[in-house]
Amino acid sequence: MSDFAASIGHSEPPDIALRAELARGDAIVGSVAPILRHLLANDDNSLFGDEIIARVRGIVADIARQLVDEIDGSVAATDGGEPGLVAVDALARDLVDVPGLMNHVHALALEWQLTERMQGRFAVDPVLTPLLQALIASPDAATAAIAMNLLAAQARFAQAMRRMQLPLGELPGDLLHGALQVMRCHAQDGHGAAAEASIRARYDESRSRLGLIARLVTGMGGGAVAALAVGHAGVAIFMTALALASGQVRELAVVSANEGQAARLALSLRAAGLKSEAAAEQFLAIHPELAPPEGMDRIGPDQAAAILASGPGYPGG
C-alpha cells in the first residue's frame, strides 16, 4: 500500500488526510508556471529533455510564429513593406508571461500524453471514441452536428499535438486576448492593430475544440454521466465533463491525472457525483499502477467539492 493510501486509512478522518494531500499537490501545481518559464527561457535544453517541456516549448513557439505571420501579412497588405520585422523568439519569450497561458499549454500537453497512454493501454481511439460515435448518431440534429464538428476538431488537435502546434483559434478567449496584447507591443506602425482586428474577426470560441466539447457535455444534461467514463468518452470529453461536474477549471482537472495529484483526482471524481465504486474504477483506468485512496467511500460529493473549493484554485498562472 502506498504511503498516501496508508495515511487515509481508518485511523483518522479521511477529509483531514485528503486536505493535507491536496495541499501538497497544490504546492506542486503552483510551481508549474514558474518552472516552465525558467525552462523555456533556458536555451540549453539538454538537462530537460522531457516530452512535456518539449511540447510546451514547441506550442509556444508555434503561437508566436502565427502572430508574426499575421503581422507580416498586415505589413504586406497595407503598404507593401518588408515582412519579418518581428522576431519569433522575442515574441515567444514574452508570451510565457501571459497570465494563464503556460498553465493552459501545459494542460494540453498533459492531456495529449494521457490520450496516447489510454490508446496504448486500452485501445481508446484518440479521435473517435464510443461516446462521440454515439452522439454523432444521435436523433437530435443539433447534437449530431456538434458531435461531427467535434470529430473534425479532435482530429485536428491530434495532428497539431504531434506537430507541437496550436492554432490561434483554439486558444480560450482570455488567453488569445493576452497573446494579442503581446503581439501589439512587438508590432510597429499600427500593423499590430490591423493584425489583431483580422484575428478577432475570424475568432469564434464556441467553435473551438474545447468550446464544442463544453457545448456537447452541457447539452447531454443528466446523460453527461456517460462522459465521466474515460474509456468510453475519451480523455478530451472526460476532462471537460470532470471539470464541469466538480466545479474546477479544466486545466486543474487535467493536472489531476498526474501521478502526484492522486488526492485531487479522487476528490474530483467524488465531487463530480460518481459513487465510490465508479470513482475507484475511473481512478484505476487513469492510474492502473496506483491503489485508489482508502477513504474515498467515506467522502461524499458535497464534502469532496467543499475540500476542492477550499484550495487556491490554479496558482502560479
PDB file of all heavy atoms in Angstrom, residues 141-176:
ATOM      1  N   ALA A 141     -30.710  16.506 -34.227  1.00  0.00           N
ATOM      2  CA  ALA A 141     -29.852  17.038 -35.291  1.00  0.00           C
ATOM      3  C   ALA A 141     -28.785  17.982 -34.762  1.00  0.00           C
ATOM      4  O   ALA A 141     -27.641  17.965 -35.238  1.00  0.00           O
ATOM      5  CB  ALA A 141     -30.713  17.742 -36.335  1.00  0.00           C
ATOM      6  N   ALA A 142     -29.134  18.802 -33.774  1.00  0.00           N
ATOM      7  CA  ALA A 142     -28.164  19.756 -33.225  1.00  0.00           C
ATOM      8  C   ALA A 142     -27.018  19.035 -32.527  1.00  0.00           C
ATOM      9  O   ALA A 142     -25.840  19.382 -32.701  1.00  0.00           O
ATOM     10  CB  ALA A 142     -28.856  20.711 -32.260  1.00  0.00           C
ATOM     11  N   THR A 143     -27.360  18.023 -31.739  1.00  0.00           N
ATOM     12  CA  THR A 143     -26.328  17.240 -31.043  1.00  0.00           C
ATOM     13  C   THR A 143     -25.422  16.536 -32.041  1.00  0.00           C
ATOM     14  O   THR A 143     -24.191  16.548 -31.900  1.00  0.00           O
ATOM     15  CB  THR A 143     -26.981  16.197 -30.121  1.00  0.00           C
ATOM     16  OG1 THR A 143     -27.742  16.869 -29.113  1.00  0.00           O
ATOM     17  CG2 THR A 143     -25.933  15.320 -29.465  1.00  0.00           C
ATOM     18  N   ALA A 144     -26.022  15.935 -33.054  1.00  0.00           N
ATOM     19  CA  ALA A 144     -25.239  15.224 -34.062  1.00  0.00           C
ATOM     20  C   ALA A 144     -24.306  16.169 -34.804  1.00  0.00           C
ATOM     21  O   ALA A 144     -23.148  15.820 -35.103  1.00  0.00           O
ATOM     22  CB  ALA A 144     -26.170  14.518 -35.049  1.00  0.00           C
ATOM     23  N   ALA A 145     -24.774  17.395 -35.074  1.00  0.00           N
ATOM     24  CA  ALA A 145     -23.947  18.370 -35.796  1.00  0.00           C
ATOM     25  C   ALA A 145     -22.752  18.802 -34.950  1.00  0.00           C
ATOM     26  O   ALA A 145     -21.621  18.902 -35.452  1.00  0.00           O
ATOM     27  CB  ALA A 145     -24.789  19.578 -36.183  1.00  0.00           C
ATOM     28  N   ILE A 146     -22.999  19.061 -33.674  1.00  0.00           N
ATOM     29  CA  ILE A 146     -21.903  19.451 -32.782  1.00  0.00           C
ATOM     30  C   ILE A 146     -20.892  18.312 -32.675  1.00  0.00           C
ATOM     31  O   ILE A 146     -19.674  18.528 -32.710  1.00  0.00           O
ATOM     32  CB  ILE A 146     -22.426  19.837 -31.385  1.00  0.00           C
ATOM     33  CG1 ILE A 146     -23.291  21.094 -31.462  1.00  0.00           C
ATOM     34  CG2 ILE A 146     -21.260  20.081 -30.421  1.00  0.00           C
ATOM     35  CD1 ILE A 146     -23.979  21.437 -30.154  1.00  0.00           C
ATOM     36  N   ALA A 147     -21.397  17.079 -32.566  1.00  0.00           N
ATOM     37  CA  ALA A 147     -20.521  15.922 -32.449  1.00  0.00           C
ATOM     38  C   ALA A 147     -19.670  15.748 -33.704  1.00  0.00           C
ATOM     39  O   ALA A 147     -18.476  15.423 -33.622  1.00  0.00           O
ATOM     40  CB  ALA A 147     -21.348  14.662 -32.184  1.00  0.00           C
ATOM     41  N   MET A 148     -20.251  15.970 -34.866  1.00  0.00           N
ATOM     42  CA  MET A 148     -19.484  15.867 -36.111  1.00  0.00           C
ATOM     43  C   MET A 148     -18.404  16.942 -36.174  1.00  0.00           C
ATOM     44  O   MET A 148     -17.267  16.677 -36.594  1.00  0.00           O
ATOM     45  CB  MET A 148     -20.417  15.996 -37.310  1.00  0.00           C
ATOM     46  CG  MET A 148     -21.161  14.715 -37.657  1.00  0.00           C
ATOM     47  SD  MET A 148     -20.049  13.367 -38.134  1.00  0.00           S
ATOM     48  CE  MET A 148     -19.312  14.047 -39.629  1.00  0.00           C
ATOM     49  N   ASN A 149     -18.752  18.145 -35.758  1.00  0.00           N
ATOM     50  CA  ASN A 149     -17.759  19.226 -35.732  1.00  0.00           C
ATOM     51  C   ASN A 149     -16.642  18.915 -34.747  1.00  0.00           C
ATOM     52  O   ASN A 149     -15.471  19.219 -35.005  1.00  0.00           O
ATOM     53  CB  ASN A 149     -18.429  20.549 -35.372  1.00  0.00           C
ATOM     54  CG  ASN A 149     -19.288  21.103 -36.489  1.00  0.00           C
ATOM     55  OD1 ASN A 149     -19.046  20.817 -37.667  1.00  0.00           O
ATOM     56  ND2 ASN A 149     -20.300  21.880 -36.149  1.00  0.00           N
ATOM     57  N   LEU A 150     -17.012  18.299 -33.611  1.00  0.00           N
ATOM     58  CA  LEU A 150     -16.000  17.930 -32.624  1.00  0.00           C
ATOM     59  C   LEU A 150     -15.082  16.847 -33.162  1.00  0.00           C
ATOM     60  O   LEU A 150     -13.876  16.852 -32.903  1.00  0.00           O
ATOM     61  CB  LEU A 150     -16.656  17.466 -31.326  1.00  0.00           C
ATOM     62  CG  LEU A 150     -15.692  16.962 -30.237  1.00  0.00           C
ATOM     63  CD1 LEU A 150     -14.649  18.023 -29.889  1.00  0.00           C
ATOM     64  CD2 LEU A 150     -16.464  16.530 -28.992  1.00  0.00           C
ATOM     65  N   LEU A 151     -15.633  15.900 -33.908  1.00  0.00           N
ATOM     66  CA  LEU A 151     -14.814  14.860 -34.516  1.00  0.00           C
ATOM     67  C   LEU A 151     -13.706  15.472 -35.371  1.00  0.00           C
ATOM     68  O   LEU A 151     -12.533  15.090 -35.261  1.00  0.00           O
ATOM     69  CB  LEU A 151     -15.683  13.940 -35.363  1.00  0.00           C
ATOM     70  CG  LEU A 151     -14.955  12.843 -36.159  1.00  0.00           C
ATOM     71  CD1 LEU A 151     -14.306  11.833 -35.224  1.00  0.00           C
ATOM     72  CD2 LEU A 151     -15.931  12.136 -37.109  1.00  0.00           C
ATOM     73  N   ALA A 152     -14.077  16.454 -36.194  1.00  0.00           N
ATOM     74  CA  ALA A 152     -13.085  17.125 -37.031  1.00  0.00           C
ATOM     75  C   ALA A 152     -12.095  17.919 -36.186  1.00  0.00           C
ATOM     76  O   ALA A 152     -10.883  17.917 -36.450  1.00  0.00           O
ATOM     77  CB  ALA A 152     -13.785  18.042 -38.030  1.00  0.00           C
ATOM     78  N   ALA A 153     -12.609  18.593 -35.145  1.00  0.00           N
ATOM     79  CA  ALA A 153     -11.734  19.402 -34.282  1.00  0.00           C
ATOM     80  C   ALA A 153     -10.758  18.530 -33.509  1.00  0.00           C
ATOM     81  O   ALA A 153      -9.582  18.883 -33.341  1.00  0.00           O
ATOM     82  CB  ALA A 153     -12.585  20.227 -33.315  1.00  0.00           C
ATOM     83  N   GLN A 154     -11.219  17.369 -33.037  1.00  0.00           N
ATOM     84  CA  GLN A 154     -10.340  16.473 -32.290  1.00  0.00           C
ATOM     85  C   GLN A 154      -9.285  15.869 -33.202  1.00  0.00           C
ATOM     86  O   GLN A 154      -8.134  15.661 -32.790  1.00  0.00           O
ATOM     87  CB  GLN A 154     -11.160  15.374 -31.611  1.00  0.00           C
ATOM     88  CG  GLN A 154     -10.365  14.447 -30.713  1.00  0.00           C
ATOM     89  CD  GLN A 154      -9.795  15.126 -29.473  1.00  0.00           C
ATOM     90  OE1 GLN A 154     -10.235  16.213 -29.086  1.00  0.00           O
ATOM     91  NE2 GLN A 154      -8.816  14.504 -28.852  1.00  0.00           N
ATOM     92  N   ALA A 155      -9.644  15.600 -34.456  1.00  0.00           N
ATOM     93  CA  ALA A 155      -8.654  15.099 -35.414  1.00  0.00           C
ATOM     94  C   ALA A 155      -7.580  16.144 -35.671  1.00  0.00           C
ATOM     95  O   ALA A 155      -6.384  15.823 -35.746  1.00  0.00           O
ATOM     96  CB  ALA A 155      -9.345  14.710 -36.722  1.00  0.00           C
ATOM     97  N   ARG A 156      -8.002  17.401 -35.786  1.00  0.00           N
ATOM     98  CA  ARG A 156      -7.021  18.486 -35.979  1.00  0.00           C
ATOM     99  C   ARG A 156      -6.140  18.643 -34.749  1.00  0.00           C
ATOM    100  O   ARG A 156      -4.934  18.897 -34.856  1.00  0.00           O
ATOM    101  CB  ARG A 156      -7.737  19.802 -36.295  1.00  0.00           C
ATOM    102  CG  ARG A 156      -8.426  19.829 -37.661  1.00  0.00           C
ATOM    103  CD  ARG A 156      -8.846  21.242 -38.023  1.00  0.00           C
ATOM    104  NE  ARG A 156      -9.853  21.770 -37.104  1.00  0.00           N
ATOM    105  CZ  ARG A 156     -11.162  21.661 -37.277  1.00  0.00           C
ATOM    106  NH1 ARG A 156     -11.643  21.022 -38.335  1.00  0.00           N
ATOM    107  NH2 ARG A 156     -12.003  22.185 -36.393  1.00  0.00           N
ATOM    108  N   PHE A 157      -6.741  18.495 -33.560  1.00  0.00           N
ATOM    109  CA  PHE A 157      -5.978  18.602 -32.315  1.00  0.00           C
ATOM    110  C   PHE A 157      -4.906  17.522 -32.248  1.00  0.00           C
ATOM    111  O   PHE A 157      -3.753  17.798 -31.882  1.00  0.00           O
ATOM    112  CB  PHE A 157      -6.923  18.480 -31.123  1.00  0.00           C
ATOM    113  CG  PHE A 157      -6.235  18.397 -29.782  1.00  0.00           C
ATOM    114  CD1 PHE A 157      -5.644  19.513 -29.216  1.00  0.00           C
ATOM    115  CD2 PHE A 157      -6.177  17.193 -29.092  1.00  0.00           C
ATOM    116  CE1 PHE A 157      -5.002  19.442 -27.981  1.00  0.00           C
ATOM    117  CE2 PHE A 157      -5.543  17.106 -27.863  1.00  0.00           C
ATOM    118  CZ  PHE A 157      -4.952  18.234 -27.310  1.00  0.00           C
ATOM    119  N   ALA A 158      -5.270  16.289 -32.598  1.00  0.00           N
ATOM    120  CA  ALA A 158      -4.307  15.191 -32.572  1.00  0.00           C
ATOM    121  C   ALA A 158      -3.138  15.477 -33.510  1.00  0.00           C
ATOM    122  O   ALA A 158      -1.964  15.282 -33.155  1.00  0.00           O
ATOM    123  CB  ALA A 158      -4.994  13.877 -32.962  1.00  0.00           C
ATOM    124  N   GLN A 159      -3.454  15.959 -34.685  1.00  0.00           N
ATOM    125  CA  GLN A 159      -2.406  16.287 -35.646  1.00  0.00           C
ATOM    126  C   GLN A 159      -1.539  17.432 -35.137  1.00  0.00           C
ATOM    127  O   GLN A 159      -0.304  17.402 -35.253  1.00  0.00           O
ATOM    128  CB  GLN A 159      -3.033  16.650 -36.986  1.00  0.00           C
ATOM    129  CG  GLN A 159      -2.035  16.888 -38.109  1.00  0.00           C
ATOM    130  CD  GLN A 159      -2.719  17.195 -39.427  1.00  0.00           C
ATOM    131  OE1 GLN A 159      -3.506  18.129 -39.523  1.00  0.00           O
ATOM    132  NE2 GLN A 159      -2.419  16.401 -40.453  1.00  0.00           N
ATOM    133  N   ALA A 160      -2.179  18.444 -34.555  1.00  0.00           N
ATOM    134  CA  ALA A 160      -1.438  19.598 -34.049  1.00  0.00           C
ATOM    135  C   ALA A 160      -0.519  19.204 -32.897  1.00  0.00           C
ATOM    136  O   ALA A 160       0.630  19.669 -32.820  1.00  0.00           O
ATOM    137  CB  ALA A 160      -2.413  20.687 -33.594  1.00  0.00           C
ATOM    138  N   MET A 161      -0.988  18.344 -31.985  1.00  0.00           N
ATOM    139  CA  MET A 161      -0.157  17.933 -30.860  1.00  0.00           C
ATOM    140  C   MET A 161       1.047  17.135 -31.335  1.00  0.00           C
ATOM    141  O   MET A 161       2.154  17.282 -30.793  1.00  0.00           O
ATOM    142  CB  MET A 161      -0.975  17.112 -29.865  1.00  0.00           C
ATOM    143  CG  MET A 161      -1.953  17.907 -29.039  1.00  0.00           C
ATOM    144  SD  MET A 161      -1.179  19.130 -27.932  1.00  0.00           S
ATOM    145  CE  MET A 161      -1.517  20.651 -28.838  1.00  0.00           C
ATOM    146  N   ARG A 162       0.863  16.309 -32.341  1.00  0.00           N
ATOM    147  CA  ARG A 162       2.002  15.551 -32.862  1.00  0.00           C
ATOM    148  C   ARG A 162       3.038  16.484 -33.471  1.00  0.00           C
ATOM    149  O   ARG A 162       4.234  16.184 -33.456  1.00  0.00           O
ATOM    150  CB  ARG A 162       1.511  14.536 -33.900  1.00  0.00           C
ATOM    151  CG  ARG A 162       0.649  13.422 -33.317  1.00  0.00           C
ATOM    152  CD  ARG A 162       0.278  12.380 -34.357  1.00  0.00           C
ATOM    153  NE  ARG A 162      -0.583  11.344 -33.792  1.00  0.00           N
ATOM    154  CZ  ARG A 162      -1.875  11.201 -34.081  1.00  0.00           C
ATOM    155  NH1 ARG A 162      -2.450  12.021 -34.960  1.00  0.00           N
ATOM    156  NH2 ARG A 162      -2.592  10.240 -33.520  1.00  0.00           N
ATOM    157  N   ARG A 163       2.569  17.596 -34.019  1.00  0.00           N
ATOM    158  CA  ARG A 163       3.468  18.583 -34.617  1.00  0.00           C
ATOM    159  C   ARG A 163       3.890  19.663 -33.634  1.00  0.00           C
ATOM    160  O   ARG A 163       4.614  20.580 -33.990  1.00  0.00           O
ATOM    161  CB  ARG A 163       2.778  19.241 -35.816  1.00  0.00           C
ATOM    162  CG  ARG A 163       2.471  18.275 -36.952  1.00  0.00           C
ATOM    163  CD  ARG A 163       1.714  18.982 -38.064  1.00  0.00           C
ATOM    164  NE  ARG A 163       1.493  18.103 -39.211  1.00  0.00           N
ATOM    165  CZ  ARG A 163       0.790  18.435 -40.285  1.00  0.00           C
ATOM    166  NH1 ARG A 163       0.229  19.636 -40.361  1.00  0.00           N
ATOM    167  NH2 ARG A 163       0.636  17.579 -41.276  1.00  0.00           N
ATOM    168  N   MET A 164       3.412  19.565 -32.391  1.00  0.00           N
ATOM    169  CA  MET A 164       3.688  20.566 -31.353  1.00  0.00           C
ATOM    170  C   MET A 164       3.204  21.943 -31.800  1.00  0.00           C
ATOM    171  O   MET A 164       3.939  22.938 -31.746  1.00  0.00           O
ATOM    172  CB  MET A 164       5.168  20.584 -30.982  1.00  0.00           C
ATOM    173  CG  MET A 164       5.678  19.258 -30.467  1.00  0.00           C
ATOM    174  SD  MET A 164       7.398  19.327 -29.924  1.00  0.00           S
ATOM    175  CE  MET A 164       7.706  17.595 -29.551  1.00  0.00           C
ATOM    176  N   GLN A 165       1.960  22.009 -32.201  1.00  0.00           N
ATOM    177  CA  GLN A 165       1.357  23.247 -32.680  1.00  0.00           C
ATOM    178  C   GLN A 165       0.012  23.465 -31.996  1.00  0.00           C
ATOM    179  O   GLN A 165      -0.568  22.541 -31.424  1.00  0.00           O
ATOM    180  CB  GLN A 165       1.153  23.192 -34.200  1.00  0.00           C
ATOM    181  CG  GLN A 165       2.438  23.060 -35.001  1.00  0.00           C
ATOM    182  CD  GLN A 165       2.184  22.857 -36.489  1.00  0.00           C
ATOM    183  OE1 GLN A 165       1.073  22.516 -36.898  1.00  0.00           O
ATOM    184  NE2 GLN A 165       3.204  23.063 -37.303  1.00  0.00           N
ATOM    185  N   LEU A 166      -0.483  24.703 -32.086  1.00  0.00           N
ATOM    186  CA  LEU A 166      -1.814  25.035 -31.587  1.00  0.00           C
ATOM    187  C   LEU A 166      -2.322  26.245 -32.355  1.00  0.00           C
ATOM    188  O   LEU A 166      -1.776  27.343 -32.225  1.00  0.00           O
ATOM    189  CB  LEU A 166      -1.788  25.345 -30.086  1.00  0.00           C
ATOM    190  CG  LEU A 166      -3.166  25.608 -29.471  1.00  0.00           C
ATOM    191  CD1 LEU A 166      -4.009  24.334 -29.459  1.00  0.00           C
ATOM    192  CD2 LEU A 166      -3.033  26.173 -28.065  1.00  0.00           C
ATOM    193  N   PRO A 167      -3.379  26.085 -33.175  1.00  0.00           N
ATOM    194  CA  PRO A 167      -3.932  27.235 -33.900  1.00  0.00           C
ATOM    195  C   PRO A 167      -4.426  28.309 -32.950  1.00  0.00           C
ATOM    196  O   PRO A 167      -4.942  28.013 -31.868  1.00  0.00           O
ATOM    197  CB  PRO A 167      -5.096  26.602 -34.689  1.00  0.00           C
ATOM    198  CG  PRO A 167      -4.755  25.157 -34.803  1.00  0.00           C
ATOM    199  CD  PRO A 167      -4.035  24.817 -33.532  1.00  0.00           C
ATOM    200  N   LEU A 168      -4.289  29.555 -33.351  1.00  0.00           N
ATOM    201  CA  LEU A 168      -4.732  30.672 -32.510  1.00  0.00           C
ATOM    202  C   LEU A 168      -6.207  30.548 -32.155  1.00  0.00           C
ATOM    203  O   LEU A 168      -6.621  30.911 -31.048  1.00  0.00           O
ATOM    204  CB  LEU A 168      -4.486  32.005 -33.225  1.00  0.00           C
ATOM    205  CG  LEU A 168      -3.031  32.408 -33.457  1.00  0.00           C
ATOM    206  CD1 LEU A 168      -2.971  33.708 -34.255  1.00  0.00           C
ATOM    207  CD2 LEU A 168      -2.293  32.559 -32.132  1.00  0.00           C
ATOM    208  N   GLY A 169      -6.997  30.052 -33.089  1.00  0.00           N
ATOM    209  CA  GLY A 169      -8.427  29.927 -32.852  1.00  0.00           C
ATOM    210  C   GLY A 169      -8.800  28.925 -31.794  1.00  0.00           C
ATOM    211  O   GLY A 169      -9.953  28.881 -31.357  1.00  0.00           O
ATOM    212  N   GLU A 170      -7.834  28.096 -31.349  1.00  0.00           N
ATOM    213  CA  GLU A 170      -8.101  27.100 -30.315  1.00  0.00           C
ATOM    214  C   GLU A 170      -7.789  27.625 -28.919  1.00  0.00           C
ATOM    215  O   GLU A 170      -8.043  26.935 -27.931  1.00  0.00           O
ATOM    216  CB  GLU A 170      -7.295  25.832 -30.582  1.00  0.00           C
ATOM    217  CG  GLU A 170      -7.731  25.068 -31.826  1.00  0.00           C
ATOM    218  CD  GLU A 170      -9.170  24.575 -31.738  1.00  0.00           C
ATOM    219  OE1 GLU A 170      -9.628  24.252 -30.624  1.00  0.00           O
ATOM    220  OE2 GLU A 170      -9.842  24.529 -32.782  1.00  0.00           O
ATOM    221  N   LEU A 171      -7.258  28.832 -28.823  1.00  0.00           N
ATOM    222  CA  LEU A 171      -6.996  29.418 -27.510  1.00  0.00           C
ATOM    223  C   LEU A 171      -8.296  29.919 -26.887  1.00  0.00           C
ATOM    224  O   LEU A 171      -9.153  30.467 -27.588  1.00  0.00           O
ATOM    225  CB  LEU A 171      -6.021  30.586 -27.620  1.00  0.00           C
ATOM    226  CG  LEU A 171      -4.555  30.263 -27.872  1.00  0.00           C
ATOM    227  CD1 LEU A 171      -3.788  31.542 -28.199  1.00  0.00           C
ATOM    228  CD2 LEU A 171      -3.938  29.571 -26.658  1.00  0.00           C
ATOM    229  N   PRO A 172      -8.475  29.762 -25.574  1.00  0.00           N
ATOM    230  CA  PRO A 172      -9.605  30.407 -24.908  1.00  0.00           C
ATOM    231  C   PRO A 172      -9.538  31.920 -25.106  1.00  0.00           C
ATOM    232  O   PRO A 172      -8.447  32.484 -25.290  1.00  0.00           O
ATOM    233  CB  PRO A 172      -9.407  30.030 -23.435  1.00  0.00           C
ATOM    234  CG  PRO A 172      -8.613  28.760 -23.484  1.00  0.00           C
ATOM    235  CD  PRO A 172      -7.683  28.923 -24.658  1.00  0.00           C
ATOM    236  N   GLY A 173     -10.678  32.576 -25.048  1.00  0.00           N
ATOM    237  CA  GLY A 173     -10.744  33.992 -25.362  1.00  0.00           C
ATOM    238  C   GLY A 173      -9.806  34.867 -24.550  1.00  0.00           C
ATOM    239  O   GLY A 173      -9.151  35.759 -25.100  1.00  0.00           O
ATOM    240  N   ASP A 174      -9.715  34.634 -23.239  1.00  0.00           N
ATOM    241  CA  ASP A 174      -8.862  35.482 -22.401  1.00  0.00           C
ATOM    242  C   ASP A 174      -7.391  35.295 -22.739  1.00  0.00           C
ATOM    243  O   ASP A 174      -6.610  36.260 -22.696  1.00  0.00           O
ATOM    244  CB  ASP A 174      -9.116  35.213 -20.920  1.00  0.00           C
ATOM    245  CG  ASP A 174      -8.878  33.765 -20.533  1.00  0.00           C
ATOM    246  OD1 ASP A 174      -9.053  32.879 -21.382  1.00  0.00           O
ATOM    247  OD2 ASP A 174      -8.516  33.527 -19.357  1.00  0.00           O
ATOM    248  N   LEU A 175      -7.010  34.070 -23.105  1.00  0.00           N
ATOM    249  CA  LEU A 175      -5.607  33.816 -23.441  1.00  0.00           C
ATOM    250  C   LEU A 175      -5.261  34.387 -24.814  1.00  0.00           C
ATOM    251  O   LEU A 175      -4.156  34.890 -25.018  1.00  0.00           O
ATOM    252  CB  LEU A 175      -5.309  32.325 -23.394  1.00  0.00           C
ATOM    253  CG  LEU A 175      -5.537  31.652 -22.037  1.00  0.00           C
ATOM    254  CD1 LEU A 175      -5.104  30.198 -22.080  1.00  0.00           C
ATOM    255  CD2 LEU A 175      -4.790  32.394 -20.928  1.00  0.00           C
ATOM    256  N   LEU A 176      -6.205  34.311 -25.754  1.00  0.00           N
ATOM    257  CA  LEU A 176      -5.973  34.937 -27.050  1.00  0.00           C
ATOM    258  C   LEU A 176      -5.822  36.439 -26.885  1.00  0.00           C
ATOM    259  O   LEU A 176      -4.950  37.055 -27.503  1.00  0.00           O
ATOM    260  CB  LEU A 176      -7.123  34.631 -28.004  1.00  0.00           C
ATOM    261  CG  LEU A 176      -7.013  35.278 -29.393  1.00  0.00           C
ATOM    262  CD1 LEU A 176      -5.796  34.748 -30.143  1.00  0.00           C
ATOM    263  CD2 LEU A 176      -8.286  35.040 -30.208  1.00  0.00           C
TER     264      LEU A 176
END
